[in-house]
Amino acid sequence: MTFLSVGIRFEANVEALNAVETTGNYSKHRRVPYLFYSPRDQEFKVIYVPALSGESLAHAYQEALVEEAKAVYGGSAPVCEECARGEFFKSMSDEYVKKKLAAVFSGSKPEDLLNDPVKVEEAILKSCLVEDIGGFLYAGKIPVKRTSRFQVSYALPVKRAALYSVTEPQLHARHAQLREVRDRSQREAASEQMIYYVETGTALYGFILNLDLSSIGISAVTGEQILKDEEIEKRRSVAARALFRLVSGRQFGAKLSRFFPVGDVVGVVVAETEHPFSVTSPIYWGSALATARRLRVLKEKFEEEVSLTVYDALEDISDLGEFDFVSIADTPEGALASVL
Ligand SMILES: [Zn+2]
């Protein structure tokens, strides 16, 4: 199966995963408008809730790609210098594309190939797995664009608990050493040791990550296969392993060194299909069951091979027993292992 869709739910108490701005000594958490149905007033309202951007999750996923590429390929991982450093501006200008053209087409002058989109894409794909999977935009005279093979949503509070999601500033103090403060000439420096506020969020979050394995190593310009079967197989494995690591290692978002979210991954839904399919958003209660019902229609009407693996620590998922393509896992890792 070639298309993966994963829905994740995680509980985070006191997190600072996504700050949007710092004003003076105050760093603000990202907040977004959120549609909410009020049963009491029987109407939809907009409330503001803490959130994590898709960019933040995508950055973390691409960092995981780099790490897993190293693990799978050893020293010869096809990852460019910039991506290896975690700087994912990718092959955006001549400077970076020329380097890749020179490495892949050693017989020609790179300048001569810059206006050939097919060659440009081939050079970038062969040189860098992160840009194969995560896409790039070369803004040359003739621009070349590759859409990301993975898609990721914002992480937003689960609807049922959205009203209880909050952001709250926490006061922190960075203390000056006492002898510095006693010395009059050092007082200026000591006053720089200041109090600061970090706005933290607390919520039960849900997000989706989709991964189109079928288009890895395939040209977005011509539709032709650029890489050998064996290489494509390896890259698919890197993509799946990175997905596992992202969720299992919880290495996404900012400020992990002092604000590592308190809580756990409480739900994982993994759908594998032959064509693009997205799991029902984990922000809805009952999303695993809804996903299974949708997949059953797909299976029956399109005679498509489908599979669904579910880990859920919050909901009663006994109704999933009636679906022959559903497996229940007893840990988040157990559910994620189905993609490896
Ligand atoms: Zn790269």
Side-chain angles (χ1 to χ4, degrees), residues 80 83 128 131:
C80 76
C83 289
C128 190
E131 292 169 65

Side-chain angles (χ1 to χ4, degrees), residues 83-332:
C83 289
R85 282 201 303 266
E87 293 169 3
F88 302 118
F89 51 80
K90 303 176 178 169
S91 306
M92 60 180 190
S93 61
D94 292 354
E95 184 193 343
Y96 303 105
V97 175
K98 272 196 230 165
K99 272 202 275 187
K100 294 178 172 103
L101 283 166
V104 174
F105 302 104
S106 49
S108 325
K109 274 199 185 136
E111 296 78 24
D112 298 342
L113 302 174
L114 280 175
N115 290 332
D116 183 342
V118 176
K119 291 268 187 334
V120 166
E121 190 197 29
E122 184 176 340
I124 296 173
L125 242 65
K126 285 185 171 165
S127 308
C128 190
L129 156 164
V130 176
E131 292 169 65
D132 181 2
I133 299 166
F136 62 84
L137 175 60
Y138 164 55
K141 222 183 255 169
I142 299 176
V144 185
K145 181 187 173 193
R146 182 175 177 82
T147 306
S148 175
R149 306 293 101 186
F150 74 90
Q151 308 167 327
V152 61
S153 72
Y154 266 49
L156 296 184
V158 170
K159 289 248 154 167
R160 179 178 273 222
L163 280 185
Y164 305 107
S165 62
V166 288
T167 54
E168 179 70 18
Q170 299 298 323
L171 170 70
H172 291 267
R174 198 165 45 202
H175 292 285
Q177 285 183 340
L178 204 55
R179 65 181 158 78
E180 276 185 290
V181 182
R182 278 188 190 137
D183 181 343
R184 193 169 279 275
S185 67
Q186 290 286 314
R187 270 200 192 146
E188 201 71 6
S191 67
E192 284 172 16
Q193 309 287 321
M194 57 185 233
I195 58 168
Y196 61 99
Y197 296 88
V198 177
E199 210 171 63
T200 59
T202 284
L204 177 60
Y205 288 105
F207 71 91
I208 285 182
L209 195 149
N210 295 333
L211 178 58
D212 182 6
L213 294 168
S214 70
S215 53
I216 293 175
I218 308 292
S219 168
V221 180
T222 64
E224 305 269 314
Q225 184 172 334
I226 294 178
L227 305 174
K228 294 202 179 87
D229 288 347
E230 189 194 347
E231 174 65 16
I232 288 177
E233 215 38 63
K234 245 176 163 176
R235 291 191 180 192
R236 285 181 176 182
S237 154
V238 169
R241 286 169 62 123
L243 178 55
F244 183 107
R245 295 282 192 194
L246 176 77
V247 182
S248 180
R250 324 267 202 274
Q251 295 300 307
F252 53 82
K255 282 208 179 287
L256 297 181
S257 55
R258 294 296 181 272
F259 292 85
F260 195 82
V262 183
D264 224 333
V265 172
V266 291
V268 178
V269 175
V270 183
E272 292 174 67
T273 50
E274 289 169 35
H275 297 283
F277 172 87
S278 192
V279 294
T280 298
S281 175
I283 68 167
Y284 300 113
W285 213 245
S287 57
L289 185 60
T291 303
R293 286 183 177 141
R294 290 171 53 217
L295 281 172
R296 180 161 62 191
V297 177
L298 214 68
K299 190 182 171 198
E300 286 169 5
K301 300 293 174 194
F302 287 79
E303 292 176 3
E304 197 175 317
E305 210 183 314
V306 300
S307 90
L308 183 68
T309 312
V310 178
Y311 162 75
D312 203 313
L314 297 177
E315 294 190 50
D316 173 11
I317 50 170
S318 50
D319 284 351
L320 287 172
E322 64 175 279
F323 302 90
D324 60 359
F325 54 85
V326 173
S327 326
I328 306 297
D330 56 6
T331 57

